[in-house]
Amino acid sequence: MEVTKKPKIKSIPYEEFKDNETLEQLVKQLNEGGTNVVVGVLDDLIDWGRSNSLWPLTFATSCCGIEFMAVCAARYDIARFGFEITRNSPRQADVILVSGTITHKMAPVLRRLYEQMADPKYVIAVGGCAVSGGPFRKSYHVVQGVDEILPVDVYIPGCPPRPEAFLYGMMQLQRKVKVEKFFGGVNKTKKEGKEEQA
Amino acid sequence: MNNNNYFGTLFDGLRSLGTGLKTTMKEFFTKKITEQYPENRKELHISERFRGTLTMPHNEANEHQCIACGLCQNACPNGTIRVVSEMVETEDGKKKKQLVRYEYNLGSCIFCQLCTNACPHDAIAFSNEFENAVFDRSKLILTLNKPGSKVAAKKS
Amino acid sequence: MFDFSIVTNWIHEWLLSLMPEGWAIFVECVAVGIGIILLYALLAIILIFMERKVCAAFQCRLGPTRVGPWGTIQVICDVLKMLTKEIFTPKGVDKKLYNLAPYMILLASFLTFACLPVSKGLEVLDFNVGIFFLLAASSIGVVGILLAGWSSNNKFSIIGAMRSGAQIISYELSAGMAILTMVVLAGTMQISEMVSGQASGWLIFTGHIPALIAFVIYLIAGNAECNRGPFDLPEAESELTAGYHTEYSGMGFGFFYLAEYLNLFIVAAIAATVFLGGWMPLHIPGLDGFNTVMDYIPGFVWYFGKAFFVVFLMMWMRWSFPRLRIDQILALEWKYLVPISMVNLLLMAVIVTLGWHF
Amino acid sequence: MNQETLHIASAELLAKMKQLKEVEKMDYLRSLTGMDWGTPEENDTQETMRGLGVVYHLESTSTGKRICVKTSTLDREHPHLPSVCHLWKGAELPEREVYDFFGIIFTGHPDMRRLFLREDWVGFPFRKDNNPEAENPLRMTNEETIDTTYIYKEEANGTLSRTERKLFEDDEYVINIGPQHPATHGVLRFRASLVGEEINKIDVHCGYIHRGIEKMNESLTYPQTLALTDRLDYLSAMQSRHALCMCIEQAMGVEVSDRVKVIRTIMDELQRIDSHILFFACLCQDMGATTAFLYGFRDREKILDILEETCGGRLIINYNTIGGVQADLHPNFVKRVKELIPYLRKNIQEYHDIFTGNIIAQQRLKGTGVLSREDAIAFGATGGTGRASGWACDVRKRLPYAAYDRVDFKEIVYTEGDCFARYMVRLDEIEQSLRIIEQLIDNIPEGSIQEKMKPIIRLPEGSWYTAVESSRGEFGVYLESRGDKSPYRLHYRSTGLPLVAVVDSLTRGAKIADLIAIGGTLDYIVPDIDR
C-alpha cells in the first residue's frame, strides 16, 4: 500500500498543520511492512473511533490546569470534540495532559499514573514546564521536560497555552492517532522501545 | 423536632430547589456562548497584545533590525534565547558583530517580555500565533532570522 | 390502537407450523433475547448522547458537534474505543468477583428491561405480580456494585460500594412505597392490566394529590437508585475519584457506564408505565376529535416519548443540584421520604375506598 | 514600612518570644523566614547577623504594633533553635519548612519531618554552601511513606536527644487522598485516618509542586525574579507581582506615579474578582454542582478578555514592572470594564439562585469546618478564611497601599467561621471589588506608566518586608539584599500554608464529603504553598 495516509481534521486543511514532517515519517515507519487492505480498513475504523474519543485524565499540577478547566468550560467547550468525559481514574482515561510543572517528588507519581492507564494511552506535554522545565529550568527540584520520564506524543508550548492552543494540540494528537495501526501491535513496540531509552 | 420546623424546612428546601431548577431551565434556552475553534479559525479575534510566540519582523527586502548585541539573551531568565554571531569586517574596515542565527526555544519561553524590553532596536516582538503544537520537541527550537536575511541599514 | 400481539401470535403460529412447540419457544426466546440486547444497546447510545447534549444546553455550551452531523455519532466512537481498549486486572483483586461484577449489574437491568410494556402486545414478561418482580429484579444491581467495590482491593472503591449499598437499599423503600400507592389505585399488579386500566385517564391524573406526591417521591428515589446526581455519592468524583468502578478499564467500565444510563431509562420507563399510562395515548375527556388524532400515534412512540420526558426531568434535576452528603441522603430518606410516602399510601387507600378518585 | 527589629540570641529566644506574645499581645505571626547568613567574617560589626537563623515578623491584632525578630545559631553541624509553635500554632509548618531547607532543628517541635522535599533528599538546598543538584538526581522510586516522626529536645549539656512519635496507629484505616486527586485542587496529598465515613485525623504532605522558586531567585536579577511571582499563586498573579514590585521600589526609594497606582489597584481588583469567581466555580464543582461551575467560568472569561487586551496574557499576566507597568491601558479598557460591572452584578444573582440558596448547599456548608477567631489568628489564616472567622485582617485596610486609601469599600467580616461564611465572604467581596473599580475607573489620573530605571537594578543593603492582600490572604515578600544585582534571600509569605495547617483541626470528626467542602472553601492554591 502506498504511504500517503493523510489524516483529515475538520476545518483545518492538512497543509496548514505544523510539523507534518514528523507525522509523515511516522506513517512511513508504520507502513514499512505493507498493509492488508481489509486490516487497513479496520484500522481506519478503530483509529477513527479512538481519535474521536480521547478521554483525558484530570491531572493538573499548576497554572496550565486552570487553562485546561477553561477549555472544558462553556466558552471553548472541549465537548465538541467528544473529549469532555474527564476521568478521574487513570484506568479509564486515554490521554494524560501533563499540564503543569513536574517536580522530582511528583515524577514517580506521574510515572505510576501513566503505568496504571490502560492501552492505548497518550501523553501530551502542556506548557513550558512540561515541555522543557520552562520557567524552572534552573531549579533543583523540577524535571526538565516530562519526556524524561514518559513517552510524549504531542508538545503544546505556551506559558500557559491559550485554550485554542490546547484544542490545536488535541487535534494534533487526533492526527497522530489516525495514522496508527491497531493490528500487529506496531505502536506498542515502538512505545516500549521509547520507554527503555528514557 | 416540632412540626412547624419539620414542614418549614421541607417547604423552604423545595422552594430553593425550585429556584435552582428555574435558573438552569432559563439557561437551557439562552443562546450558547461557545466559540467554535477551529471552525471559526478565519474570523477568530485574538487581542493584538497577546503573546503567542516571539518573532523577528523582517521587511520586504528580507532585512531585520537585530545587531546581535545579546542583551535579550542576558535578560532572559531561563536561557530561552541564544544569539549566535560572528565578527565581520565592513567595507570601511571596521569590525562589526553580525547575526548568524537567532535561536529561540519556544518550548521553554515564559513570555515575560524581558527580551523585548531589553532590545534597543525593537528587533523582536511577540506575535499572536498560537498554533504551535508539534510531535517532536526539537521542532520547538526556532531560528527567528530568515535564511539570507541581513540587518537593515541604520536609519539616519 | 395497533395490537402487536397479532404480529407476535402470527410469528408463533408460523414457527409452530415449522417445528415442534419446544423448539419454537426456544427460537422465540433467542430472538427476543437478541431483540432486547439490540434495543438495549441502541437505547444506551441514544441516552448517552442525549445526556451530553442536554447537560451542555444547561451549561450554556454546545456539547458534541464534530463527529457526524451535530455530533450524533459521537457515542459510537466511544463504544468503538472502549471495545478496543485494553482490559486488565489489577494486582491483588479477587479475580472471579472482579470479573463477575459488571455482568451482575447488566443482568439486573436486563431482567427489569424485559418487563417493560413498550407497546400493546409487546411485553416480554407479563404476569400477575409483574410490578413486584420488577422491583425485585432491579435491586439485584446493588449486588454488582458491592461486588465491584469489594473485589477491587481499593479503599476508594469499597467506600463507594458501601455508600451505594446504604443508599440503594434505603431508597428502594420509598420507591417501592410510591409504586404501591399506585398499585392501590390501579387495583392490580399485572403491568399490562395496569396500563390498560389507564385508557380513560393516566393514573397521575386520576389519583390527583397522592399520585402527584408519589410521582415526585418516585422521581427522587429513582434518581437515587441509579446513583445519579445529586445522589451520585458512590462515584462522587471529587471525593472518591470514581467510586466503585475506579479499578475498571475498557469494557468493564463500559458496562457500568451503560448500566448507569439503562437504569436511568428503566426508572423513567417504570414511571411512564405506572404514572403516565404506559403506551396509552393522551386522552382528554370530551374532546373526541383530539382523542382520535392521539390514537393514530403508535403506542411505542407514546411510550418512549413519556419515558424520555421523565429522563429529561431527571437530567434536569441532576444538572441543577449539588451533591448531598451521606448523612443527608439518609436523613432525606428516613426523615422525609419514608414517612411521607407512608402517609401518602394511607391517603391513597382512603381515597380509593371512598371513591374520591376520578 | 519601617518597623522595629530585634536581634535575639538563640538561648534567650523562648523567654523573649513568650513575653512578646503574652505581654505585648503579639498574637499574629505574619511570617517566618529561614536564613543562611553565612559564616562570621573579620569585618563584621556587632549588628551583622551570621549563621543559620530565622526571621520572625509579628503583629498584634489588638494594638496593630509590628515587630521583626531575628535570631541565629552559628553551629552548622547540628544547628538547633527552640520551636515557637506552642506560642503560635501557625509556626508549625514554616518551622518544618526551615528544617527542610536549612536543616535547623527546632527543639520541642511535635513533628520534625521534612515538609516539601522527599524523605531521602540529601542535604539542605537553601544553605549557601549546598549544591542540591549534585547529590540529588531524579529518583524514580516510589517514595515510602513513613508513619513516625521525631520530637527533639536539647539536653543540659547542649546535645540533642530525640523521641519517636507515631502518626498513625497500626489498626487505623488510613486512606490516601492525592496527590493526584480532584479534591485537593492540585497536587496536595492528605493521609486521612477514617472511622467509617468520619475523619479521625489528617496528615498533610506538601511539596509535590515545590519548584524552588525562592532558591532560584538568589541567582536571578530583580526584573527576572518578577517573572516567577506570577506562577506562585496564579490566581493572584497581579497581586503577588505587585507585592514584589512594591518591595523593590521601597528598597530603591522609588515612588511610582499616581496613574500606576490606580492602574495597579484596578488590576488587583479585577484579579480578585477573577479568583473569587473561580473559587465559586471550583467549590460548586467539588460539591457536585457541575452546572454552576460552568456558569462561573463563563463569567470569568469576560475578565480574562479584559486582562488579555491590556496585558497580553490570560492567566500569567506579566504586567507590573519595577517602577511601573508593562504597557499602558488598552483604549478599550475603560469601556469594557464599565460593561463588565453590571454584567457581573446580574450574574452574581444567578450564582445565589443556583447555589447559595440551595438547601443542599446550605446544609452541607453551614456549621461544617468551624474555625474560631483565636485559631484563625494563631494559625495566621488570613484572607477570606480569617475574615469569615471574624478577624478583620485585610491588608488593604490595615496597611493601605497603592490607591486603597482613597477608595471607599467595606471589609467583609463574618463571625460564624464555618464553610458557608467563608463562601459568603468571597461572594460579597466580589461586590466590594466592583465598587472599588467603579470609583476608580472614571478617574484614572494621567501620568507616566514607567519610572526611569537603570539598566541593571541593584538594591542597597538591608531587609524589607512588604505585604499586599492577595486573592486569598496576606501575601508578603521578605527581601534581603547585600547590594548585588540579585537578592540575597527572597522569601514569600505563602497565603496557602496556614490554610493547609488548619485542615487537620477543621476536619476532625467531619465526614469525607466535608473535607471537600472545607478544602474548597479554604481556597488554597498548591503552587503557592509549595513555592
Side-chain angles (χ1 to χ4, degrees), chain A residues 60-125:
Chain A
T61 59
S62 52
C63 332
C64 297
I66 303 289
E67 283 298 65
F68 178 61
M69 282 153 84
V71 179
C72 296
R75 179 159 165 199
Y76 299 101
D77 194 17
I78 203 171
R80 290 182 290 119
F81 296 80
F83 304 154
E84 83 271 39
I85 311 180
T86 53
R87 301 306 314 173
N88 289 304
S89 166
R91 308 250 184 244
Q92 297 147 14
D94 304 299
V95 51
I96 178 165
L97 285 133
V98 185
S99 36
T101 326
I102 299 303
T103 60
H104 283 203
K105 195 169 175 176
M106 193 64 198
V109 182
L110 175 63
R111 182 57 186 262
R112 204 158 131 195
L113 275 174
Y114 178 74
E115 276 160 5
Q116 281 174 348
M117 283 165 72
D119 272 322
K121 49 191 172 184
Y122 305 96
V123 179
I124 298 185

Side-chain angles (χ1 to χ4, degrees), chain C residues 46-350:
Chain C
I46 294 174
L47 279 166
I48 293 175
F49 181 69
M50 174 177 170
E51 163 109 317
R52 288 165 85 165
K53 275 293 194 190
V54 167
C55 97
F58 278 127
Q59 299 171 342
C60 8
R61 55 194 181 91
L62 293 173
T65 56
R66 282 183 57 92
V67 192
W70 306 288
T72 35
I73 43 178
Q74 177 63 52
V75 186
I76 297 175
C77 287
D78 292 335
V79 172
L80 257 177
K81 180 210 67 183
M82 265 198 274
L83 280 173
T84 56
K85 198 150 169 74
E86 180 191 10
I87 297 175
F88 62 46
T89 324
K91 250 188 250 163
V93 302
D94 187 332
K95 267 196 181 161
K96 230 182 264 166
L97 298 183
Y98 176 84
N99 291 327
L100 183 66
Y103 295 99
M104 286 298 282
I105 292 188
L106 273 194
L107 181 75
S109 51
F110 265 130
L111 274 180
T112 342
F113 201 62
C115 300
L116 299 179
V118 174
S119 185
K120 194 173 189 181
L122 265 189
E123 306 92 351
V124 179
L125 293 175
D126 184 34
F127 45 92
N128 54 2
V129 287
I131 288 282
F132 187 67
F133 173 78
L134 205 112
L135 287 176
S138 67
S139 39
I140 296 178
V142 69
V143 178
I145 292 179
L146 282 176
L147 277 187
W150 173 256
S151 63
S152 286
N153 189 28
N154 177 318
K155 287 174 181 173
F156 284 123
S157 300
I158 189 82
I159 295 176
M162 286 302 155
R163 280 180 173 186
S164 180
Q167 179 184 326
I168 294 185
I169 291 169
S170 312
Y171 276 81
E172 205 99 286
L173 216 63
S174 47
M177 235 159 341
I179 289 181
L180 271 188
T181 315
M182 301 320 283
V183 170
V184 170
L185 180 63
T188 174
M189 271 187 148
Q190 187 161 7
I191 296 174
S192 56
E193 274 183 35
M194 219 166 170
V195 174
S196 53
Q198 301 184 57
S200 53
W202 300 352
L203 286 186
I204 194 166
F205 299 132
T206 53
H208 51 90
I209 296 168
L212 262 177
I213 295 176
F215 184 63
V216 172
I217 289 179
Y218 179 77
L219 274 191
I220 296 174
N223 233 353
E225 273 200 64
C226 28
N227 289 331
R228 284 172 58 81
F231 305 99
D232 54 348
L233 283 100
E235 40 191 308
E237 295 197 331
S238 50
E239 298 158 31
L240 304 175
T241 54
Y244 56 87
H245 57 61
T246 303
E247 294 289 346
Y248 285 87
S249 73
M251 237 14 223
F253 164 67
F255 283 155
F256 285 111
Y257 197 62
L258 287 185
E260 180 191 334
Y261 286 95
L262 257 297
N263 284 336
L264 170 70
F265 180 77
I266 287 165
V267 168
I270 295 174
T273 315
V274 178
F275 295 94
L276 302 177
W279 44 263
M280 280 294 171
L282 179 68
H283 281 180
I284 301 172
L287 288 176
D288 284 335
F290 176 79
N291 291 350
T292 9
V293 173
M294 289 292 131
D295 278 341
Y296 280 113
I297 302 173
F300 64 89
V301 172
W302 275 109
Y303 189 72
F304 284 114
K306 288 171 191 173
F308 277 106
F309 170 70
V310 180
V311 167
F312 179 78
L313 284 186
M314 289 168 74
M315 284 182 183
W316 186 15
M317 259 161 73
R318 169 175 188 170
W319 294 109
S320 295
F321 301 138
R323 185 181 301 129
L324 285 102
R325 199 171 55 204
I326 183 75
D327 58 323
Q328 288 172 347
I329 281 201
L330 297 181
L332 173 68
E333 167 69 7
W334 295 102
K335 268 166 71 181
Y336 291 96
L337 295 187
V338 170
I340 292 174
S341 48
M342 277 166 134
V343 171
N344 195 36
L345 181 59
L346 206 67
L347 183 68
M348 183 59 100
V350 171

Side-chain angles (χ1 to χ4, degrees), chain B residues 23-88:
Chain B
T23 316
T24 41
M25 195 34 94
K26 202 181 84 212
E27 290 299 337
F28 190 81
F29 294 108
T30 337
K31 195 171 172 301
K32 309 293 170 255
I33 59 151
T34 307
E35 287 174 11
Q36 299 198 47
Y37 176 84
E39 281 89 341
N40 68 356
R41 221 164 143 249
K42 296 281 176 302
E43 63 266 25
L44 182 68
H45 169 75
I46 292 177
S47 81
E48 59 270 32
R49 288 188 194 173
F50 171 73
R51 299 180 290 266
T53 176
L54 190 69
T55 54
M56 182 177 280
H58 288 60
N59 61 12
E60 305 84 58
N62 203 12
E63 289 172 338
H64 55 75
Q65 303 285 331
C66 181
I67 55 159
C69 62
L71 279 178
C72 47
Q73 188 177 338
N74 290 338
C76 183
N78 63 349
T80 289
I81 296 171
R82 204 161 74 92
V83 179
V84 183
S85 59
E86 61 183 6
M87 287 302 222
V88 286

Side-chain angles (χ1 to χ4, degrees), chain D residues 77 89 111 144 239 259 262 278 299 361-362 370 383-384 389 408 422 430 443-444 496 498 511-512:
Chain D
E77 281 294 303
K89 288 182 199 164
D111 182 9
E144 271 182 52
Q239 294 116 330
R259 182 176 177 81
V262 170
L278 193 105
D299 303 336
Q362 293 220 346
V370 179
S389 302
D408 171 44
R422 285 196 283 275
I430 297 181
N443 343 298
I444 303 173
K511 308 238 169 357
I512 306 176

